[in-house]
Amino acid sequence: MVSLAMKSPTLGRSAGSSGSENVAGENTNRHTLTGLTNGRIYTISIVATSSTDLVSESVATNTVRLVPSALVLQTSPTVTSTNITITGSVPTGSVVTGFIVQWQRDTSVGCSSSNQRILTVNQGFSGSYRITGLEPGNRYTITVTVFNAAGNGPVSNAVTATTMETNPTGGPSSVRIGTVTASSITLHWGEVSCLHRNGEITGYRAQAVRNGMVEGTASVSGGARQATISGLSPSTLYSVQVAAVNGAGTGPYSGAYVRTNDGLITQVISSYTSLNISCTLEGTLTATGYTISYSNTNTDCFTDSRSGITTSGTSYTLTGLEEGTQYSITLNATLTGGRTE
């Protein structure tokens, strides 16, 4: 028979304790002592006994200290845009001299290159701990490992928390002008830089501004990289801008200046001595009348010109022209409100 005697000297404010257990069987080489207090130092001696209760000298003597039990984290941490406060409890009786906090960021959210971090705190766990320096709108998985002089205890349960989003602090990159018509402008752009997203980009808002007033907008999804702003005025200079949108709101605009095309589209059909001029207005423009002027471009032989021809229709034929001669023609439309195009 083997007898195990254990003794725990006083450790800090803890009272000493001792005891023994008998293990039957001459070939026994393994036994588990239970009911011990972690963190305390125990001296364990092993002696052999016979059927006549004769006790041998100690077979072996070891001094050991138990590691802490696993900390239990609550599943609902408190979050801000850059901090997560975890709370939890250490099982009663565990001796803890420090703890290790490890977080890992979900790489599908946000875009930081810092995907994980390990923090060691050399003090007992007081019930809560605030993790700082995180990124807005990112999801983190957190565990805590408590330790004492004997080593690290088991890893705690894992908890997941997402920091609060804030408005993007930067606009889309490389805003470029695409197709421009008399009443629309198409914009192209690149992604918002990682440091300025502050959450998941869910959409983009494009707008055309003239004299401080927004005259046209377009909204697209977060995966889009272009948008067309329609309903604009022809031959007008606009500031065209694009901003990113996340769950917290809209970020700053970035963009460029561009002028829409003329709103008057003309077509000329020629015959031997006449030119038929027809026109259309783009968008929602309306005209109250048209004025036509023309002159021949080759004045070496003769001069043929006329100005101030007025018409209210969208088609007019110039007659009495010289055969085989090139003409320069100007067509002005008088729009509602007095503006000409």
Side-chain angles (χ1 to χ4, degrees):
M1 178 181 295
V2 177
S3 177
L4 290 87
M6 63 179 181
K7 182 179 181 181
S8 172
T10 300
L11 178 64
R13 290 174 293 178
S14 300
S17 61
S18 61
S20 64
E21 294 185 17
N22 292 324
V23 183
E26 61 181 23
N27 296 320
T28 300
N29 59 8
R30 181 187 297 269
H31 181 71
T32 300
L33 296 174
T34 60
L36 306 182
T37 301
N38 73 71
R40 289 185 178 179
I41 300 174
Y42 288 90
T43 300
I44 301 174
S45 299
I46 303 174
V47 298
T49 60
S50 67
S51 58
T52 58
D53 292 329
L54 295 176
V55 180
S56 72
E57 296 293 330
S58 295
V59 176
T61 300
N62 292 284
T63 300
V64 296
R65 183 195 299 263
L66 274 65
V67 300
S69 301
L71 184 144
V72 179
L73 290 177
Q74 295 182 8
T75 57
S76 300
T78 302
V79 300
T80 68
S81 60
T82 57
N83 301 330
I84 297 176
T85 300
I86 55 174
T87 56
S89 59
V90 180
T92 303
S94 289
V95 175
V96 174
T97 59
F99 56 95
I100 301 169
V101 179
Q102 181 170 356
W103 59 253
Q104 186 163 353
R105 187 182 63 82
D106 186 340
T107 56
S108 67
V109 181
C111 55
S112 170
S113 59
S114 178
N115 294 329
Q116 63 179 357
R117 189 176 179 189
I118 299 175
L119 306 170
T120 300
V121 183
N122 291 309
Q123 64 185 41
F125 190 81
S126 61
S128 67
Y129 182 77
R130 186 175 66 173
I131 305 170
T132 62
L134 305 178
E135 296 181 43
N138 275 242
R139 186 164 59 244
Y140 296 87
T141 300
I142 305 161
T143 59
V144 176
T145 303
V146 288
F147 62 83
N148 59 24
N152 294 347
V155 179
S156 73
N157 58 304
V159 295
T160 301
T162 302
T163 51
M164 298 171 61
E165 293 186 353
T166 59
N167 287 30
T169 51
S173 61
S174 305
V175 176
R176 308 179 304 281
I177 307 300
T179 303
V180 179
T181 70
S183 59
S184 67
I185 300 170
T186 298
L187 302 177
H188 302 265
W189 59 84
E191 291 183 320
V192 180
S193 98
C194 290
L195 294 177
H196 300 295
R197 295 179 187 176
N198 299 333
E200 181 182 2
I201 301 301
T202 56
Y204 292 92
R205 177 181 172 87
Q207 63 181 24
V209 179
R210 179 176 66 157
N211 297 329
M213 300 294 293
V214 177
E215 292 195 358
T217 63
S219 296
V220 294
S221 67
R225 294 294 179 266
Q226 72 175 56
T228 298
I229 307 171
S230 303
L232 306 179
S233 298
S235 191
T236 302
L237 181 65
Y238 285 99
S239 169
V240 286
Q241 308 167 340
V242 186
V245 180
N246 64 15
T250 303
Y253 284 88
S254 56
Y257 286 90
V258 63
R259 183 182 297 274
T260 51
N261 293 337
D262 292 341
L264 191 61
I265 300 175
T266 60
Q267 182 181 28
V268 178
I269 300 175
S270 64
S271 65
Y272 289 105
T273 58
S274 66
L275 295 171
N276 178 262
I277 304 168
S278 60
C279 62
T280 57
L281 283 170
E282 284 201 344
T284 59
L285 300 176
T286 57
T288 59
Y290 301 88
T291 302
I292 303 171
S293 300
Y294 70 89
S295 63
N296 65 311
T297 57
N298 183 4
T299 58
D300 293 339
C301 299
F302 65 94
T303 299
D304 184 11
S305 64
R306 187 178 174 187
S307 62
I309 303 172
T310 60
T311 178
S312 59
T314 58
S315 178
Y316 187 84
T317 301
L318 300 175
T319 59
L321 306 180
E322 291 291 328
E323 182 179 341
T325 301
Q326 186 177 50
Y327 285 86
S328 173
I329 304 169
T330 300
L331 174 65
N332 289 325
T334 301
L335 306 180
T336 303
R339 186 166 66 88
T340 59
E341 186 67 59

